[in-house]
Amino acid sequence: MTNYRISDSAADDLVEIWHHISQDDPAAADRMMKRFEAAFMKLGDYPRMGRGRSRREDEFRVFTVGDYLIFYRLRDNNVDILRVRSGFLDLDDLILESE
C-alpha cells in the first residue's frame, strides 16, 4: 500500500472547489470532498491508475473524478497529490507546482 500526501497547492484547490460548489449546495460540496478523499485513498492503493503525462522534464499522472482532474506524482513509495483542477480548463495552460 502506498501513502498519499496532499501538497499545499492541492489543499488550496480543494478549499476553492468546496467554496465554489457550496455557494449553490453545501451538502453537494461535502459529498465532492468525500469523493476526492476516496480517490486519494484509491490512488494510494493503486498509484498507476491514472494516465501518465509529461510536461517539460516533469512526469506526472492524471486521474479524473467527476469534472475534476487530480494531478499527482509517484515519489519514494508515495503518491504526491500536486493539484486538483477543473477538467474544463485547458490542460496545456495548467502550471503544476512541485512541492
Side-chain angles (χ1 to χ4, degrees), residues 19-35:
H19 281 293
H20 177 74
I21 296 171
S22 71
Q23 290 176 3
D24 292 324
D25 187 346
D30 291 341
R31 287 191 302 272
M32 191 71 231
M33 293 304 113
K34 288 180 182 179
R35 287 182 68 188

Side-chain angles (χ1 to χ4, degrees), residues 1-54:
M1 182 165 104
T2 304
N3 294 314
Y4 71 88
R5 295 183 290 214
I6 299 174
S7 72
D8 291 341
S9 296
D12 291 344
D13 292 339
L14 292 169
V15 169
E16 183 179 317
I17 291 165
W18 187 90
H19 281 293
H20 177 74
I21 296 171
S22 71
Q23 290 176 3
D24 292 324
D25 187 346
D30 291 341
R31 287 191 302 272
M32 191 71 231
M33 293 304 113
K34 288 180 182 179
R35 287 182 68 188
F36 286 134
E37 183 179 354
F40 298 154
M41 291 171 49
K42 187 181 275 191
L43 289 171
D45 290 338
Y46 306 101
R48 299 209 179 270
M49 282 183 22
R51 197 169 102 204
R53 302 280 305 209
S54 292

Side-chain angles (χ1 to χ4, degrees), residues 35-96:
R35 287 182 68 188
F36 286 134
E37 183 179 354
F40 298 154
M41 291 171 49
K42 187 181 275 191
L43 289 171
D45 290 338
Y46 306 101
R48 299 209 179 270
M49 282 183 22
R51 197 169 102 204
R53 302 280 305 209
S54 292
R55 184 175 198 162
R56 295 179 296 260
E57 296 176 12
D58 194 20
E59 292 186 29
F60 59 93
R61 302 184 80 76
V62 180
F63 185 73
T64 303
V65 176
D67 293 333
Y68 295 91
L69 303 173
I70 298 172
F71 295 88
Y72 68 99
R73 178 182 300 129
L74 303 175
R75 184 176 289 166
D76 300 328
N77 207 28
N78 284 298
V79 171
D80 291 337
I81 308 297
L82 304 172
R83 300 298 304 257
V84 181
R85 306 292 293 187
S86 169
F88 295 110
L89 298 174
D90 185 352
L91 185 62
D92 291 331
D93 289 340
L94 295 176
I95 298 171
L96 298 177

